[in-house]
Amino acid sequence: MGKKSKGTARIRYLSLGLMVLIGAMCGIWIAEIAESAFPVGQTGGELIFLMLVLFGVFLFAMLFQTVLHEAGHLVFGLWTGYRFLSFRIFSVMWIRENGEIRRKRYTLAGTSGQCLMAPPEKKEGKFPVVLYNLGGAGMNLAAAAVFGGLGWLTAGIPLLSSVWCMAALAGLALALLNGIPMSAAVPNDGYNALCLRRSQSARDSFWIQLKVNEQIAKGVRLHQMPEEWFAVPTDEEMKNSMTAVQGVLVCNRLMDACRLEEAAGLMTRLLQMDSGIVPLHRNLLLLDLLYCELTGENRREVAEALFTDELKKFVRSMRQNPSVLRTLYAYALLQERDRAKAAALQAQFEKIAETYPYPCEIQGERVLMVIAMGKSGAAAAVAG
């Protein structure tokens, strides 16, 4: 096992250990509160009911703390010169569009929320990054302290005290899970802050990523953005997960410009190297590479080798993503030769497009779907 694999395993074990610890704390706390709230002699059913109520309170507290977490990014971002772009809790997203705040739907696997902001302009090549990245965990920690204090003050009223303590515990859980550097499908805030602290190229890449998000929110497609934003990092720089996103963006831009052979070549190189590309982006690159194969040489054995069981599992968690649906559409047309399935996928795509927050991305995906349809028609003519 290489250094990267060992590091990934340690991160996964740490994340799992934290979740188990937090779960155990919740269970013990709920049991203690339930026991103190009911005198001896009460029925087991009543005790179980109270424990379920307290568990529901904890889930609500987690939701509330998730909102506070994203609000922390927003508050500290505004404080340090960032500008609001969007605010998402689970799949519900509020985005600034033509000077107005509109509600859209957007899902990103591995995340429960996200606050995107446009960065301030650089001063002598620098701009603030720490407070924006750690503002969410900081807000959760501050809220946990406040709610914990309220729980202590109301200790004489067990049920009320339990509500405050559940809120405190939820805040502590989110602060730890987001503040302690960990990288799973998507790196957490602490991991991002660590990457940015270690590398100037990572900070430069982070600024470009935020500028790209800003332009996409304005309706600008990737291939229309400044060329200088899309330089492929060196092999050494690609080992940093934050800088590695820069390489992914170059691939995305080539796809958006329909320079499919170049995109396939770059994606193949990046996927083969020892890099910091996170699993989410790696799987999306594999799907784009699959699309390029389908609309290019369309070798059945290569397409099947790319579309592994692991990638299919990822696809099931990302069925709301337009680029994923685009590749599935191409696969149905060009690999499975199933036009009915392709039509159903296109209908699903159009339904998602109605509330998708970034129309310019939908435009680009439609172009790629047209290319797949054209290839399908050409293949049918040859077969005929």
Side-chain angles (χ1 to χ4, degrees):
M1 183 182 289
K3 290 182 179 179
K4 182 180 177 182
S5 298
K6 289 181 179 178
T8 302
R10 283 195 295 268
I11 288 169
R12 287 177 178 173
Y13 291 145
L14 176 59
S15 177
L16 179 62
L18 278 173
M19 287 189 287
V20 170
L21 177 61
I22 290 166
M25 291 171 63
C26 291
I28 292 170
W29 185 258
I30 289 173
E32 288 184 352
I33 293 172
E35 185 178 355
S36 63
F38 277 96
V40 177
Q42 291 294 324
T43 65
E46 291 175 319
L47 192 60
I48 292 173
F49 175 75
L50 178 61
M51 292 178 69
L52 290 174
V53 169
L54 291 174
F55 182 70
V57 169
F58 179 74
L59 292 180
F60 179 79
M62 285 294 289
L63 174 61
F64 180 70
Q65 287 285 2
T66 298
V67 175
L68 281 182
H69 180 88
E70 299 308 328
H73 289 301
L74 177 63
V75 169
F76 284 98
L78 292 172
W79 187 18
T80 51
Y82 288 71
R83 300 179 304 282
F84 173 81
L85 291 178
S86 65
F87 188 93
R88 176 175 63 84
I89 299 297
F90 297 106
S91 64
V92 181
M93 184 181 199
W94 292 268
I95 184 169
R96 185 184 295 278
E97 188 177 274
N98 298 322
E100 298 181 3
I101 304 299
R102 300 183 184 276
R103 185 165 60 87
K104 302 286 185 176
R105 296 193 69 83
Y106 181 78
T107 301
L108 183 62
T111 67
S112 56
Q114 191 176 40
C115 177
L116 290 178
M117 306 187 77
E121 295 304 315
K122 295 181 181 179
K123 294 181 180 179
E124 299 180 354
K126 298 179 180 180
F127 72 108
V129 296
V130 175
L131 287 179
Y132 173 51
N133 277 278
L134 295 182
M139 183 71 82
N140 289 140
L141 201 57
V146 171
F147 292 140
L150 290 172
W152 178 75
L153 290 173
T154 57
I157 312 174
L159 288 179
L160 180 58
S161 177
S162 69
V163 171
W164 295 125
C165 290
M166 289 294 106
L169 193 58
L172 180 61
L174 285 183
L176 292 175
L177 290 173
N178 286 281
I180 296 176
M182 290 184 288
S183 177
V186 179
N188 71 358
D189 299 328
Y191 193 89
N192 287 337
L194 186 63
C195 288
L196 292 170
R197 182 175 178 272
R198 288 176 172 175
S199 169
Q200 179 61 47
S201 63
R203 291 190 289 274
D204 292 338
S205 176
F206 182 61
W207 187 85
I208 289 172
Q209 292 168 47
L210 295 177
K211 292 297 289 184
V212 167
N213 288 333
E214 180 184 21
Q215 292 302 304
I216 290 175
K218 291 179 178 179
V220 181
R221 288 176 57 179
L222 288 174
H223 76 272
Q224 299 169 326
M225 296 181 196
E227 183 85 29
E228 60 268 22
W229 288 359
F230 298 89
V232 181
T234 65
D235 289 6
E236 185 62 30
E237 289 173 337
M238 283 293 296
K239 293 180 180 179
N240 184 300
S241 65
M242 186 63 70
T243 311
V245 179
Q246 188 74 16
V248 174
L249 283 175
V250 178
C251 296
N252 296 158
R253 188 172 192 259
L254 291 171
M255 291 291 294
D256 188 58
C258 298
R259 294 158 60 181
L260 301 181
E261 288 188 18
E262 291 179 67
L266 180 57
M267 286 187 288
T268 299
R269 183 169 78 83
L270 295 184
L271 288 168
Q272 289 175 347
M273 71 168 55
D274 178 19
S275 75
I277 298 175
V278 299
L280 173 67
H281 292 158
R282 182 173 293 275
N283 285 325
L284 289 173
L285 286 181
L286 283 169
L287 286 170
D288 282 349
L289 186 58
L290 174 60
Y291 171 88
C292 291
E293 174 62 33
L294 292 167
T295 56
E297 296 185 59
N298 195 18
R299 297 162 291 185
R300 176 170 291 275
E301 66 280 4
V302 175
E304 290 178 349
L306 284 170
F307 206 20
T308 62
D309 290 340
E310 183 179 354
L311 191 59
K312 289 176 182 177
K313 181 179 179 181
F314 170 77
V315 164
R316 287 194 291 271
S317 69
M318 293 286 288
R319 289 292 293 238
Q320 302 299 309
N321 184 285
S323 71
V324 171
L325 287 172
R326 170 256 296 162
T327 295
L328 292 178
Y329 172 82
Y331 194 86
L333 279 178
L334 300 168
Q335 184 78 350
E336 299 174 318
R337 312 290 183 182
D338 189 338
R339 288 183 172 270
K341 183 177 180 180
L345 286 164
Q346 186 174 22
Q348 184 181 353
F349 177 93
E350 294 301 334
K351 183 177 180 180
I352 290 171
E354 293 175 2
T355 56
Y356 194 72
Y358 307 118
C360 61
E361 290 188 353
I362 295 295
Q363 293 170 9
E365 298 302 342
R366 285 198 177 112
V367 171
L368 295 174
M369 292 173 78
V370 168
I371 290 175
M373 175 58 78
K375 294 286 183 178
S376 173
V382 171

